[in-house]
């Protein structure tokens, strides 16, 4: 069994069929107009809910790591072993253990989510099937209990967008990549709101700041270049992510609007 | 800290690359070769070129365009008009008229909003070009738009026509078959919902019956006078290619790998065979032999009773395109190997294979 068979069997096929299943229910209830866009939105919310424990674990780990770096004990260790990197590293690991922090706790959930993002992207593209090869491929992956013949072709129009094409909103003859702009803004807001305020001299603060700057443009570029079904997923995912964090009280409004009073930031403990 | 920044940047670029790579040919071309042949030349539309190939020896006569033009790709089988134009659509929404002797472009039509997946029909000094943007564009011989007809779904199938009523019949992915006035583009009728998309060209009998396969796993006979359904025959899987009518029998395959011979009058299945792998497009039916290609790389010749005469297996390639008869040769277009076109004699002996030369 090769890697693509496993990838298709475990990730892509369940996603494609779930997406088609949601679409089938929606068109039965409301008719086909705009329903594939709605299906993508519902599907994205489902994925965010499924990966919610991972998101939580990532945020908790990041915060615990930040607490550790602020702790007097860590600062003392740093001072004590500033000329002995090996010993510093050993002490750091010991402190991780003592404080119950996994060094991979904040990046592992992200790594697990990454295949899901790629899978979801592929699922959207596969479901749209705009060429004969793609359609043939889709036909081979639809589960028997989904009536694929009745669903195809999917209605890929959503509001002003063709979800199988990169999106442009034409205003006075100019094609404005509205959704790509929304992706940049929402990614920026999400990363700002969910990043803890940097501490003076904190290791990684610069990294986080750089990430906050580069990531929105990367996502925006993807949204600009690829079918708008993907951009719709990005925007929905960002909005749901912000809402999830806000509901958990983990949003740093002061990161976005520094003039806000201190109470607008979440408690670190 | 500076090195961390570089690591971060590299990671982001890698992630972007990975996501881009996962998209493959998203939104651009992705199909199998379109093949047409006259007595001297084969014309193959595949990927970035349309090739003219000398049937005598399998050598390239010309290619269009001579240089790759960005993302522009060609997959719809070319059509030769009565006045000697080779019509071929591309995946960048343009329909081209070429000189079949030289490959020089005569005119192009750029008014479409989507790609050309299906071949154009040439009839009555008009060119009827189906488009994935739900439109059938009708042009005169100089490439001027005469009228366009809109359906509710993409049009991937080559239309058919009938002289007695001056009609164009066009199957649509919106699950309906349409009859359109060839002069005005006005709809004459449309069938009821046929249970699935229609992407294969219908067969039209002299008695005025249209036969079309659907993704709803059935073959449907339709009265060409009014669009009423005469009979339906269930199949085991989606029917992609159109049926071929010969001697009162309809021959066609389905994606489940079954090949059918169905009585055109009653819809009764005469025989059903499962030779080897999914059958995507129409079979080639000569006076005594049926040739089919399969997704698993099989080229199979059967007699009209469904008994296998000979078969060839192409390892590692997929055969989707219908075989084409050109004089005493059987042509097969392949995807997945450097060889794009094979010529066989009727006994299954390979005569030559054409591999497009990579231009430096």
């Amino acid at each position: 069994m090769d890697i693509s068979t496993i990838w298709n069997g475990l990730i892509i096929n369940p996603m494609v069929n779930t997406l088609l299943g949601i679409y089938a229910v929606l068109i039965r209830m409301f008719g086909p107009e705009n329903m594939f866009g709605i299906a993508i939105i519902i599907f994205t919310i489902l994925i965010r809910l499924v990966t919610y424990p991972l998101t939580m674990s990532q945020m908790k780990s990041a915060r615990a790591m930040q607490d550790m770096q602020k702790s007097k004990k860590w600062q003392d260790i740093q001072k004590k072993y500033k000329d002995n990197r090996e010993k510093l590293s050993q002490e750091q690991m010991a402190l991780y253990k003592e404080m119950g922090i996994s060094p991979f706790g904040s990046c592992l959930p992200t790594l697990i989510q990454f295949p899901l993002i790629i899978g979801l992207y592929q699922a959207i593209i596969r479901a749209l099937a705009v060429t004969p090869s793609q359609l043939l491929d889709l036909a081979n992956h639809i589960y028997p209990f989904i009536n694929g013949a009745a669903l195809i072709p999917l209605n890929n129009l959503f509001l002003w967008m063709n979800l199988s094409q990169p999106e442009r909103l034409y205003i006075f003859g100019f094609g404005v990549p509205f959704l790509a702009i929304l992706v940049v803004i929402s990614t920026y807001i999400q990363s700002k709101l969910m990043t803890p305020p940097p501490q003076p001299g904190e290791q990684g603060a610069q990294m986080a700041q750089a990430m906050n700057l580069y990531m929105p443009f990367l996502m925006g570029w993807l949204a600009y270049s690829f079918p708008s079904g993907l951009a719709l997923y990005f925007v929905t995912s960002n909005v749901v992510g912000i809402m999830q964090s806000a509901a958990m009280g983990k949003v740093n409004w002061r990161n976005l609007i520094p003039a806000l009073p201190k109470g607008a930031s979440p408690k670190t403990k | 800290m500076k090195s961390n920044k570089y690591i971060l940047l590299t990671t982001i670029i890698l992630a972007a690359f990975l996501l881009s790579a996962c998209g493959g040919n998203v939104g651009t071309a992705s199909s199998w070769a379109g093949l047409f042949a006259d007595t001297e030349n084969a014309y193959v539309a595949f990927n970035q070129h349309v090739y003219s190939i000398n049937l005598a020896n399998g050598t390239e006569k010309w290619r269009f365009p001579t240089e790759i033009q960005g993302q522009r790709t060609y997959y719809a089988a070319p059509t030769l008009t009565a006045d000697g134009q080779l019509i071929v659509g591309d995946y960048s929404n343009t329909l081209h008229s070429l000189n079949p002797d030289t490959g020089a472009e005569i005119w192009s039509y750029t008014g479409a909003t989507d790609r050309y997946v299906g071949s154009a029909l040439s009839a009555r000094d008009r060119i009827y070009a189906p488009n994935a943007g739900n439109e059938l564009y009708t042009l005169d011989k100089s490439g001027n738009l005469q009228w366009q007809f809109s359906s509710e779904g993409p049009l991937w199938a080559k239309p058919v026509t009938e002289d007695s009523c001056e009609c164009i019949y066009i199957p649509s992915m919106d699950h309906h078959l349409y009859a359109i006035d060839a002069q005005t583009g006005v709809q004459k009728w449309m069938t009821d919902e046929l249970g699935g998309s229609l992407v294969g060209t219908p067969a039209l009998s002299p008695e005025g019956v249209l036969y079309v396969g659907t993704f709803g796993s059935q073959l449907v006979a339709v009265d060409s006078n009014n669009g009423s359904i005469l009979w339906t025959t269930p199949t085991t899987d989606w029917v992609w290619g159109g049926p071929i009518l010969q001697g009162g029998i309809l021959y066609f395959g389905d994606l489940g790998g079954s090949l059918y011979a169905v009585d055109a009058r009653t819809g009764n299945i005469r025989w059903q065979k499962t030779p080897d792998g999914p059958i995507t497009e129409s079979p080639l039916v000569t006076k005594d032999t049926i040739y089919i290609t399969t997704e698993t790389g099989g080229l199979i010749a059967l007699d009209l009773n469904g008994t296998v005469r000979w078969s060839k297996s192409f390892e590692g390639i997929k055969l989707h395109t219908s075989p084409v008869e050109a004089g005493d040769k059987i042509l097969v277009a392949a995807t997945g190997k450097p060889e794009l076109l094979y010529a066989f004699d009727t006994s299954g002996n390979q005569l030559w294979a054409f591999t497009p030369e990579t231009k430096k």
Side-chain angles (χ1 to χ4, degrees):
Chain A
M1 195 180 281
D2 62 17
I3 187 85
S4 80
T5 311
I6 297 168
W7 173 252
N8 278 329
L10 289 179
I11 304 281
I12 304 297
N13 293 350
M15 282 189 168
V16 168
N17 284 281
T18 307
L19 193 53
L20 290 178
I22 295 169
Y23 178 70
V25 171
L26 287 172
I27 61 170
R28 192 169 294 170
M29 290 168 71
F30 307 107
E33 211 167 304
N34 289 318
M35 286 307 134
F36 192 61
I38 305 284
I40 290 175
I41 292 171
I42 292 173
F43 188 47
T44 308
I45 294 169
L46 277 180
I47 293 283
R48 289 295 307 210
L49 289 176
V50 169
T51 57
Y52 178 70
L54 292 172
T55 313
M56 271 294 289
S57 147
Q58 181 190 2
M59 289 175 73
K60 272 185 184 166
S61 291
R63 209 161 286 282
M65 193 79 84
Q66 197 195 22
D67 289 346
M68 187 210 83
Q69 290 187 339
K70 279 192 299 184
S71 71
K72 188 168 181 317
K73 196 169 182 181
W74 169 240
Q75 281 161 14
D76 290 345
I77 290 169
Q78 275 183 310
K79 269 182 207 159
K80 192 172 175 184
Y81 300 109
K82 65 180 177 189
D83 298 321
N84 187 347
R85 291 185 74 85
E86 198 180 330
K87 186 68 184 163
L88 179 69
S89 169
Q90 280 173 4
E91 289 295 321
Q92 187 179 20
M93 292 312 286
L95 193 59
Y96 279 155
K97 208 171 176 184
E98 188 188 315
M99 296 182 78
I101 300 170
S102 163
F104 302 108
S106 60
C107 65
L108 201 60
T110 312
L111 287 178
I112 294 170
Q113 285 178 64
F114 199 61
L116 288 179
I117 293 171
I118 294 173
L120 191 125
Y121 167 58
Q122 287 189 333
I124 291 170
I125 298 306
R126 183 170 283 177
L128 284 167
V130 292
T131 68
S133 290
Q134 287 172 356
L135 184 53
L136 205 51
D137 192 40
L138 176 64
N140 291 330
H141 292 98
I142 298 178
Y143 293 154
F145 57 84
I146 304 260
N147 186 359
L151 300 178
I152 290 168
L154 303 188
N155 187 325
N156 54 18
L157 299 179
F158 179 61
L159 304 176
W160 67 92
M161 292 169 260
N162 178 340
L163 296 170
S164 65
Q165 307 275 342
E167 174 266 352
R168 302 289 181 269
L169 178 61
Y170 285 90
I171 301 171
F172 302 118
F174 291 100
V176 180
F178 179 73
L179 213 53
I181 293 168
L182 258 185
V183 167
V184 173
I185 294 170
S186 61
T187 309
Y188 179 77
I189 291 175
Q190 190 191 23
S191 54
K192 281 298 253 185
L193 290 180
M194 291 170 69
T195 309
Q199 304 299 318
E202 184 192 328
Q203 200 179 17
Q206 250 184 306
M207 278 266 282
Q209 276 177 345
M211 194 80 155
N212 287 350
L213 194 67
Y214 298 140
M215 211 55 183
F217 287 104
L218 167 73
M219 303 305 268
W221 174 74
L222 292 173
Y224 179 83
S225 318
F226 288 127
S228 50
L230 184 69
L232 185 62
Y233 159 71
F234 286 153
V235 172
T236 310
S237 185
N238 289 343
V239 171
V240 174
I242 293 168
M243 284 165 66
Q244 270 182 344
S245 304
M248 285 156 36
K250 304 276 185 193
V251 161
N252 287 291
W253 295 108
R254 288 187 70 217
N255 262 9
L256 197 66
I257 312 162
L260 283 176
K262 272 199 168 176
S265 291
K267 300 226 167 9
T268 52
K269 281 276 178 189
Chain B
M1 193 50 67
K2 214 170 188 181
S3 67
N4 277 346
K5 263 188 166 181
Y6 289 129
I7 291 168
L8 180 68
L9 253 179
T10 313
T11 311
I12 288 174
I13 290 166
L14 206 65
F17 176 75
L18 192 62
L19 209 53
S20 307
C22 290
N25 290 328
V26 175
T28 62
S30 176
S31 188
W32 44 88
L35 173 61
F36 169 76
D38 59 21
T39 51
E40 291 178 10
N41 304 297
Y43 303 95
V44 186
F46 184 67
N47 217 345
Q48 284 138 333
H49 297 285
V50 179
Y51 302 91
S52 171
I53 298 144
N54 188 335
L55 282 178
N57 52 21
T59 55
E60 180 177 324
K61 289 177 89 171
W62 53 256
R63 65 174 65 185
F64 172 84
T66 49
E67 302 292 333
I68 291 169
Q69 294 179 342
Q71 295 289 312
R72 197 177 288 272
T73 51
Y74 305 80
Y75 293 96
T79 298
L80 198 59
T81 66
D83 68 332
Q85 298 182 50
L86 193 70
I87 306 296
V88 61
D90 69 26
Y91 269 33
S92 297
N93 315 348
T94 303
L95 191 72
H96 306 264
S97 167
L98 309 179
N99 180 329
D101 296 325
T102 63
E105 186 169 82
I106 301 167
W107 51 258
S108 65
Y109 173 71
T110 57
T113 56
D114 212 323
R115 68 198 71 194
Y116 290 94
V117 176
S119 299
L121 167 73
S122 168
R124 303 182 195 89
D125 293 338
R126 297 273 173 92
I127 294 152
Y128 303 92
N131 185 271
N134 306 359
E135 302 288 321
L136 176 70
Y137 296 100
T138 300
L139 313 174
D140 66 16
K141 288 192 295 183
S142 303
N144 301 307
L145 182 69
Q146 301 302 297
W147 51 260
Q148 69 188 73
F149 170 79
S150 302
S151 82
E152 295 294 319
L155 301 176
W156 282 11
K158 182 178 181 175
V160 289
T161 188
E162 183 180 43
D163 286 338
S164 60
C165 89
E166 295 230 324
C167 295
I168 299 295
Y169 303 106
I170 179 83
S172 172
M173 289 183 75
D174 68 8
H175 305 191
H176 299 279
L177 176 66
Y178 294 87
I180 307 156
D181 186 300
Q183 292 303 324
T184 62
V186 173
Q187 180 181 310
K188 286 175 174 269
W189 52 255
M190 65 183 267
T191 59
D192 292 336
E193 156 74 44
L194 295 178
S197 290
L198 286 68
V199 296
T201 301
L204 179 58
S205 75
E207 294 79 28
V209 180
L210 289 151
Y211 305 95
V212 66
T214 82
F215 285 3
S217 300
Q218 58 181 1
L219 183 74
V220 185
V222 175
D223 186 337
S224 69
N225 292 313
N226 52 24
S228 61
I229 295 168
L230 300 174
W231 52 256
T232 60
T233 297
T235 57
T236 54
D237 212 324
W238 293 11
V239 181
W240 191 295
I244 302 297
L245 178 62
Q246 181 167 297
I249 305 292
L250 295 153
Y251 301 95
F252 65 98
D254 70 19
L255 294 187
S258 290
L259 178 67
Y260 302 84
V262 169
D263 188 309
R265 198 173 50 82
T266 62
N268 294 330
I269 296 175
R270 288 275 186 95
W271 52 258
Q272 177 181 350
K273 308 277 176 179
T274 313
D276 167 50
I279 301 165
T280 311
E281 291 211 343
S282 306
L284 163 67
V285 184
T286 63
K287 69 175 190 307
D288 59 357
T289 308
I290 306 161
Y291 299 92
I292 58 163
T293 50
T294 68
E295 198 180 37
T296 43
L299 167 65
I300 302 160
L302 308 96
D303 67 19
L304 297 184
N305 294 314
T307 306
V308 174
R309 285 189 166 156
W310 54 261
S311 66
K312 295 271 170 195
S313 186
F314 295 80
E315 205 159 307
I317 64 171
K318 292 181 174 182
L319 299 178
H320 294 297
T321 310
S322 295
V324 167
E325 185 179 28
D328 56 355
K329 297 180 180 71
I330 305 300
L331 303 177
V332 176
T335 45
K337 274 204 168 172
E339 294 85 4
L340 178 59
L341 187 68
Y342 294 88
F344 295 90
D345 66 17
T346 51
S347 303
N349 301 307
Q350 187 177 316
L351 302 173
W352 49 256
F354 165 70
T355 304
E357 190 186 327
T358 309
K359 296 261 163 116
K360 295 196 173 154

